[in-house]
Amino acid sequence: MATNFGFSISKPRVIDVDTNNLKKSNEILAALPELQSCIGCGSCTASCTAGNLTSYNFRKVHTLVRRGEYAGAYEEMNKCMLCGKCRLLCPRGINTRRVVMLIKKCLGDF
Amino acid sequence: MSKRVVVVGGGISGMQTALSLKSLGFEPLILEQSRQLGGKVADWHLLFPSFTPAEEVTVPLIRAVRQNGILVRLGCKVVSIESRRVILCSGERIDCDAVVLCSGSTLFDATIKEEYGYGIYDNVYTSADIEKMMNNECVATASGAAPERIAILHCVGSRDEKVCQRHCSKVCCITGVKQAIELKKLFPKAEIFNFYMDIRMFGPGYEELYRQAQIDYNIHFVRGRISEASPLMDGRVQIKAEDTLTGRPLRMSVDMLVLMIGMRANDDNAFLSSSSGAELAPNGFFKSRNSFVDNVLSTKDGIFLAGTVSSPKTIGQSLNEATTVAHRVAEYLNYGN
């Protein structure tokens, strides 16, 4: 019988690219190769309507998805209201709304 | 009799300097310490950002040097530069009217960064190794297999206080992008990750190539410096970094780790500076009189600089300086100062 010692072991925070399954990530990048050109400037997150009210960070979520970290990505993307301000600002011209929709479509059952 | 100008170094800057001096009516003499002309560019395969073969730069220059009857002495190491005199390690003294230092720079020795395991375990290479492997058409892992995952690490021996190299080596960012594309073309199925601190795409066509690498070749760019590499049982290499854009530590195993080594100042600069009186910058490269109108002049009259002897530079910038320096030498010799 398990004894409660009053502490638990934290899950490792490391992104392990060897064990992560990059299949979904590759599907998203194949559908929208321009997503790979993100330079992490943060314009999208700075302008984000949802991000000003919640902890939603679009840049971070899609970067994690590209590394194969899918947990919670779908739920996060649901916070997006598709206002499109980020798309107006993106210096790389990435169709950011398409990124939101692609992640929701590919990772909906995750 | 035309005036004699000693050009120290027979790389691309030295050859172009000599050619320009010759066309202005001077008598240049190239002193090269190795047994051949061409310098570092002779070891390179393709050049960024156009993927031009390096020999398209070196071969025409070497041919022009020969056709113009420029005096070249190979295997000559310069140990001292005095005003209007150069002394070789054989003790021979060569009198001249001016000296142009085109002695270039040294590639950073990656074994100093022990945490990356270069020279200690297999499958860790430098950017220069990759160029040689490309030239010999033998790019493969240590076991001879095609790599499935490759990590390219930028800024090895650049912007690093720990190895006394504070400066940015300028050309490694674009070299990392270029080699990523070349490797992807060779191994289309391989995943390629570039680890960087900053990506500095300063030249024409560089940013475009960076974008092309991302969109057309699906090269991954991770902002974060690899902190350590360790060998795995199967001979592959495990790397650790922080993915700073997500704020999470990251690790992966790779078949090849390629280190983008920087340019550092030649060790010889110290005694060439002390004998000549031309000052060095804090990073050990020769100091230009100023960065603007007198950038090819050293701090000592009669001693001139061209190419990477004064700071890391691209081939195009080095060749431009070589042409410029000839005109400044002409002004100096014809009109005095």
Side-chain angles (χ1 to χ4, degrees), chain A residues 41-87:
Chain A
C41 72
S43 297
C44 50
T45 306
S47 65
C48 182
T49 314
N52 274 308
L53 302 166
T54 69
S55 60
Y56 176 53
N57 184 327
F58 173 70
R59 174 190 60 73
K60 199 167 164 180
V61 174
H62 82 64
T63 309
L64 282 167
V65 166
R66 282 190 284 140
R67 310 271 182 263
E69 295 281 323
Y70 309 127
Y74 176 79
E75 291 75 11
E76 281 298 305
M77 286 303 175
N78 270 339
K79 292 177 184 165
C80 169
M81 296 179 279
L82 297 174
C83 74
K85 280 200 315 201
C86 49
R87 194 180 170 191

Side-chain angles (χ1 to χ4, degrees), chain A residues 13-18 22 26 29 33-34 36-40 59-60 63-64 66-67 69 92, chain B residues 149 191 193 196 207 210-211 214-215 218-222 243 245-253:
Chain A
R13 286 187 72 247
V14 69
I15 299 172
D16 192 336
V17 180
D18 290 347
L22 294 173
N26 287 334
L29 286 171
E34 68 198 42
Q36 193 69 288
S37 73
C38 171
I39 45 176
R59 174 190 60 73
K60 199 167 164 180
T63 309
L64 282 167
R66 282 190 284 140
R67 310 271 182 263
E69 295 281 323
R92 302 295 256 185
Chain B
R149 191 185 282 155
E191 291 176 316
F193 291 83
Y196 66 95
E207 184 66 29
Y210 174 34
R211 211 180 149 83
Q214 294 171 316
I215 298 177
N218 195 27
I219 313 278
H220 304 266
F221 285 81
V222 182
D243 183 356
L245 293 177
T246 63
R248 297 257 306 267
L250 178 144
R251 69 169 173 236
M252 67 171 80
S253 54

Side-chain angles (χ1 to χ4, degrees), chain B residues 1-48:
Chain B
M1 202 180 111
S2 53
K3 288 181 174 171
R4 158 70 54 89
V5 182
V6 166
V7 177
V8 181
I12 54 151
S13 307
M15 290 192 285
Q16 182 60 56
T17 300
L19 286 165
S20 302
L21 284 167
K22 184 83 177 179
S23 71
L24 292 170
F26 298 100
E27 194 58 54
L29 164 65
I30 297 178
L31 300 176
E32 166 59 41
Q33 66 174 350
S34 77
R35 290 273 157 206
Q36 58 181 18
L37 291 173
K40 295 223 169 30
V41 181
D43 293 332
W44 235 241
H45 178 55
L46 300 178
L47 306 177
F48 60 75

Side-chain angles (χ1 to χ4, degrees), chain B residues 19 53 81 91 114 123 189 207 236 239:
Chain B
L19 286 165
I81 297 169
E114 275 187 11
N123 293 317
K189 285 183 184 159
E207 184 66 29
R236 299 168 80 226
I239 54 174

Side-chain angles (χ1 to χ4, degrees), chain B residues 13-160:
Chain B
S13 307
M15 290 192 285
Q16 182 60 56
T17 300
L19 286 165
S20 302
L21 284 167
K22 184 83 177 179
S23 71
L24 292 170
F26 298 100
E27 194 58 54
L29 164 65
I30 297 178
L31 300 176
E32 166 59 41
Q33 66 174 350
S34 77
R35 290 273 157 206
Q36 58 181 18
L37 291 173
K40 295 223 169 30
V41 181
D43 293 332
W44 235 241
H45 178 55
L46 300 178
L47 306 177
F48 60 75
S50 54
F51 298 96
T52 305
E55 64 215 32
E56 286 187 22
V57 175
T58 52
V59 171
L61 280 172
I62 295 170
R63 191 184 300 135
V65 165
R66 291 211 182 103
Q67 283 171 352
N68 284 280
I70 288 167
L71 295 170
V72 178
R73 290 184 55 181
L74 300 173
C76 273
K77 191 170 164 62
V78 174
V79 292
S80 173
I81 297 169
E82 292 163 17
S83 54
R84 308 187 62 178
R85 181 183 291 165
V86 168
I87 302 174
L88 305 181
C89 75
S90 60
E92 185 185 345
R93 288 154 187 265
I94 298 171
D95 291 322
C96 57
D97 298 288
V99 178
V100 185
L101 279 174
C102 300
S103 45
S105 55
T106 303
L107 286 173
F108 179 76
D109 176 7
T111 59
I112 295 170
K113 295 294 291 179
E114 275 187 11
E115 59 267 45
Y116 302 137
Y118 181 70
I120 305 173
Y121 28 88
D122 286 341
N123 293 317
V124 184
Y125 304 91
T126 65
S127 40
D129 294 337
I130 294 294
E131 294 295 332
K132 278 181 198 142
M133 288 160 93
M134 296 263 183
N135 269 332
N136 299 329
E137 295 179 10
C138 65
V139 187
T141 67
S143 60
E148 286 170 18
R149 191 185 282 155
I150 303 166
I152 294 177
L153 174 60
H154 293 233
C155 292
V156 176
S158 300
R159 308 172 71 201
D160 188 350

